[in-house]
Amino acid sequence: MAPVTRRTSFPKVVIERDSDSEQSSSDDDEQEQEEEILEDEENGVIENAKIEKLEVGFDANRKGKTPITLTLRKVCKVCKKPGHEAGHTTLNCPHRVTTEHGVVPAPRRKTSKPLEYVFERQLRHAIPAIKPKYVIPDQVNCAVIRYHSRRVTTLEFHPTKNNILLSGDKKGQLGVWDFEKVYEKVVYSNIHSCIVNNMRFNPTNDCMVYSASSDGTVSCTDLETGISSSPMNLNPDGWQGPNTWKMLYGMDINYERGVVLVADSFGFLHLVDMRSNHRNGDAVLIHKKGSKVTGIHCNPIQPDILLTCGNDHYARIWDMRRLEAGSSLCSLEHKRVVNSAYFSPISGNKILTTSQDNRLRIWDSIFGNMESPSREIVHSHDFNRHLTPFKAEWDPKDPSESLAVVGRYISENFNGTALHPIDFIDTSTGQLVAEVLDPNITTISPVNKLHPRDDILATGSSRSLFIWKPKEKCEPIEEKDERKIVVCDKAEKKRGKRKGDNSDESDDDGFISKLKKPKLKQTEWKLSRCSKKG
């Protein structure tokens, strides 16, 4: 009996167009597929399927109609190459980590813009030529397991107290954790009714924090008492259907004007006066009508300059002194949804964006050529609907303004276990400076925040919070120190899991089981159990 061999070719389907004038929206993809066919033909891979496809295509061309070519070949979403599929457990993708060959530099164009001249003459010399030695927090120092009832969506460090971390979750809860004492923590569950998307401290009162939520409200919360007020509610009549329900995502504070800027899921920007705690003026359309505005950032040097990003595949620069629909100073085009966009933290001269097309984009100067980014860095951060969006953020302590941190979707193999590292990337070269991981953290870590003053990284992974510190700065854990890891009991009875929405409930349970297994004795964490406050 002849041996049975698997078919190595991929079937092709050709669909004829109805009219000659109709243009193809995937000409580039077809050209890439034709190039792949020719390459495979040379290697003897594609035989009958290619010939059949070409014959049908020629028949269609003789009739004066342009065919559409479809293929069942799977390609990687990250590097667009066949042979492997980029999921969060892919190990053979060459771009699963960011390396220098993944950088796409922008072409140098000779321009005579006055702003670029000023930058080269007055600002370029102030940028340090030698980068400082990066200090990477790469060891878990303490953690709170199952701190929130749903997955963590946002983190924020206290502006004056170095050991206080704020966290928001999918259910609308706001947590306050003293990670030096570990057990000092509280969760306020009456702030919002659903996802907390952003938090900012009041610049004149560090006990007050503003938060924006998908319930359409902006809340101002006193961290000492837990009492909150709602300066703005975009849904005063409650749920009237998805076409009218407004959600708030991007938020920042202009400390010079004393206003809170928030943007909704319909493309509008709203202002809230911090002195009166009331809405100020009318909403302004800043992105495509009906599209979500995912982020807002005020320039640290000139707060009147805004950077926004949204689902319309654009990041835009605005001037608050001339804020009206269609008046953006610059529009930075992307290929897919832009998750975040930030000015550099010290000079405000650079821009870092995170897009769903698995690319980080960097503009080295807002005074130079803004038509194309200075670099595009290939990085795996495409996600599904059960994850908080990945957002690359600058290191606020880096004087060279080149170090960024971002979680990774594709995993690394660690002794047979798929782990999802947190990447530290040099944005000036695209090189991977460090990948931070721990064998006991098997969940994806999309929410990461670097401390503004200390060498500390805070991570929100599923419902848990982790604090990373450099190994040389981590104090050795003695036998008497048993409060480095806190496992919180569930604040409510386990609900029946809905189909397709059980990721928040199961991730940390798997973490606990991993932690208790005797084969993972290499960890130095100490485990304790406590009841949840709040």
Side-chain angles (χ1 to χ4, degrees):
M1 181 176 178
V4 179
T5 59
R6 292 188 62 182
R7 183 179 179 181
T8 58
S9 60
F10 292 85
K12 300 282 182 176
V13 181
V14 176
I15 303 176
E16 296 183 1
R17 297 189 178 277
D18 295 334
S19 62
D20 299 339
S21 61
E22 187 176 357
Q23 300 261 343
S24 173
S25 60
S26 58
D27 293 338
D28 295 336
D29 296 337
E30 292 179 12
Q31 185 177 0
E32 293 177 1
Q33 292 168 359
E34 293 294 340
E35 293 174 356
E36 293 174 1
I37 292 173
L38 294 177
E39 292 175 359
D40 294 336
E41 183 183 11
E42 294 176 358
N43 298 328
V45 175
I46 293 183
E47 298 172 355
N48 297 332
K50 177 186 73 65
I51 297 173
E52 181 181 355
K53 176 259 171 185
L54 292 177
E55 290 177 353
V56 178
F58 289 150
D59 292 339
N61 289 333
R62 282 196 293 267
K63 296 177 182 179
K65 298 178 180 179
T66 305
I68 301 175
T69 304
L70 303 178
T71 178
L72 299 183
R73 168 174 294 182
K74 294 181 178 180
V75 297
C76 174
K77 292 190 299 181
V78 179
C79 63
K80 307 299 182 184
K81 299 295 182 182
H84 63 276
E85 186 177 5
H88 63 280
T89 57
T90 303
L91 299 179
N92 57 349
C93 176
H95 292 307
R96 73 180 187 274
V97 296
T98 305
T99 53
E100 192 167 2
H101 69 270
V103 178
V104 181
R108 292 292 299 174
R109 300 178 182 178
K110 294 183 178 180
T111 59
S112 57
K113 295 181 180 180
L115 288 177
E116 188 169 5
Y117 176 80
V118 171
F119 171 74
E120 294 292 341
R121 290 295 302 270
Q122 299 182 13
L123 301 178
R124 175 73 73 179
H125 66 277
I127 301 176
I130 300 177
K131 296 178 184 177
K133 183 179 179 181
Y134 298 127
V135 179
I136 306 298
D138 52 0
Q139 181 176 345
V140 174
N141 179 259
C142 58
V144 179
I145 311 302
R146 291 195 302 224
Y147 181 38
H148 286 277
S149 59
R150 303 303 295 273
R151 60 176 163 87
V152 177
T153 55
T154 182
L155 296 174
E156 191 73 18
F157 282 102
H158 198 279
T160 57
K161 299 178 182 178
N162 292 348
N163 55 329
I164 300 297
L165 176 67
L166 268 66
S167 57
D169 70 0
K170 183 180 177 181
K171 194 179 179 181
Q173 297 176 339
L174 191 149
V176 184
W177 180 35
D178 186 343
F179 53 83
E180 291 295 333
K181 299 180 181 178
V182 184
Y183 271 77
E184 294 293 331
K185 55 185 173 35
V186 64
V187 176
Y188 299 113
S189 58
N190 59 344
I191 307 300
H192 294 283
S193 59
C194 59
I195 307 175
V196 180
N197 293 309
N198 244 311
M199 295 183 296
R200 292 290 185 274
F201 277 90
N202 188 327
T204 60
N205 184 358
D206 59 9
C207 290
M208 306 296 293
V209 61
Y210 289 91
S211 55
S213 170
S214 292
D215 60 8
T217 63
V218 174
S219 291
C220 182
T221 306
D222 189 335
L223 297 181
E224 294 183 351
T225 63
I227 300 175
S228 65
S229 59
S230 182
M232 186 176 69
N233 184 2
L234 297 183
N235 304 300
D237 299 328
W239 177 260
Q240 301 292 328
N243 295 329
T244 59
W245 184 263
K246 297 179 181 179
M247 298 178 283
L248 295 176
Y249 288 90
M251 183 178 71
D252 205 356
I253 293 179
N254 185 326
Y255 59 87
E256 288 188 351
R257 293 178 177 266
V259 294
V260 180
L261 301 96
V262 288
D264 62 24
S265 54
F266 286 81
F268 287 89
L269 175 70
H270 307 265
L271 304 181
V272 176
D273 192 333
M274 291 192 298
R275 292 175 287 268
S276 63
N277 258 359
H278 285 87
R279 187 170 174 177
N280 185 11
D282 298 328
V284 180
L285 182 66
I286 58 173
H287 280 263
K288 183 180 178 181
K289 191 172 183 179
S291 65
K292 181 195 306 180
V293 182
T294 56
I296 299 176
H297 189 217
C298 295
N299 192 288
I301 302 301
Q302 178 53 264
D304 281 340
I305 304 300
L306 308 179
L307 178 61
T308 64
C309 57
N311 279 14
D312 59 354
H313 302 186
Y314 279 93
R316 304 182 191 275
I317 302 177
W318 305 82
D319 190 340
M320 280 196 65
R321 294 162 293 191
R322 192 171 60 92
L323 191 59
E324 57 186 20
S327 64
S328 62
L329 302 178
C330 186
S331 295
L332 311 178
E333 185 176 3
H334 294 67
K335 294 182 179 179
R336 289 187 62 187
V337 174
V338 188
N339 293 342
S340 64
Y342 297 106
F343 287 111
S344 52
I346 300 175
S347 68
N349 185 45
K350 297 182 179 181
I351 291 178
L352 170 64
T353 65
T354 308
S355 176
Q356 282 292 90
D357 61 353
N358 290 309
R359 299 292 188 275
L360 305 178
R361 290 175 173 83
I362 298 94
W363 282 261
D364 284 336
S365 172
I366 59 175
F367 302 105
N369 176 31
M370 300 295 290
E371 296 180 2
S372 60
S374 303
R375 278 169 301 283
E376 291 184 3
I377 302 177
V378 179
H379 186 268
S380 172
H381 50 252
D382 194 2
F383 68 100
N384 58 37
R385 65 189 183 94
H386 296 300
L387 284 177
T388 303
F390 292 87
K391 299 179 180 180
E393 296 192 13
W394 300 99
D395 183 357
K397 305 176 298 298
D398 177 24
S400 65
E401 296 182 323
S402 58
L403 187 63
V405 61
V406 59
R408 193 194 307 170
Y409 188 63
I410 292 181
S411 62
E412 285 286 342
N413 187 3
F414 186 87
N415 295 333
T417 304
L419 301 181
H420 307 269
I422 302 167
D423 291 337
F424 285 82
I425 300 171
D426 185 346
T427 59
S428 62
T429 61
Q431 290 181 336
L432 181 68
V433 177
E435 54 179 5
V436 173
L437 52 84
D438 189 279
N440 290 303
I441 305 177
T442 57
T443 53
I444 303 175
S445 304
V447 186
N448 300 280
K449 194 77 174 180
L450 284 166
H451 200 284
R453 295 170 296 276
D454 296 335
D455 296 323
I456 293 176
L457 170 67
T459 294
S461 183
S462 186
R463 297 179 293 160
S464 305
L465 299 179
F466 301 91
I467 295 296
W468 305 75
K469 292 184 178 181
K471 289 183 180 179
E472 59 271 14
K473 292 188 178 181
C474 285
E475 299 177 358
I477 299 177
E478 303 175 358
E479 291 296 328
K480 62 180 181 180
D481 187 3
E482 297 182 353
R483 298 192 176 187
K484 291 295 181 182
I485 303 297
V486 178
V487 180
C488 295
D489 293 332
K490 294 186 178 179
E492 56 187 18
K493 295 183 178 179
K494 195 169 184 178
R495 304 180 301 273
K497 296 179 181 179
R498 293 176 294 178
K499 184 177 180 181
D501 195 22
N502 58 358
S503 59
D504 297 333
E505 300 294 333
S506 59
D507 288 346
D508 292 309
D509 295 335
F511 173 88
I512 295 299
S513 62
K514 292 278 185 183
L515 201 63
K516 292 181 179 179
K517 286 184 179 180
K519 68 177 183 179
L520 292 179
K521 290 184 178 180
Q522 67 270 21
T523 179
E524 296 181 351
W525 301 6
K526 297 296 181 179
L527 185 63
S528 302
R529 183 171 293 276
C530 72
S531 59
K532 195 173 186 179
K533 293 183 180 181

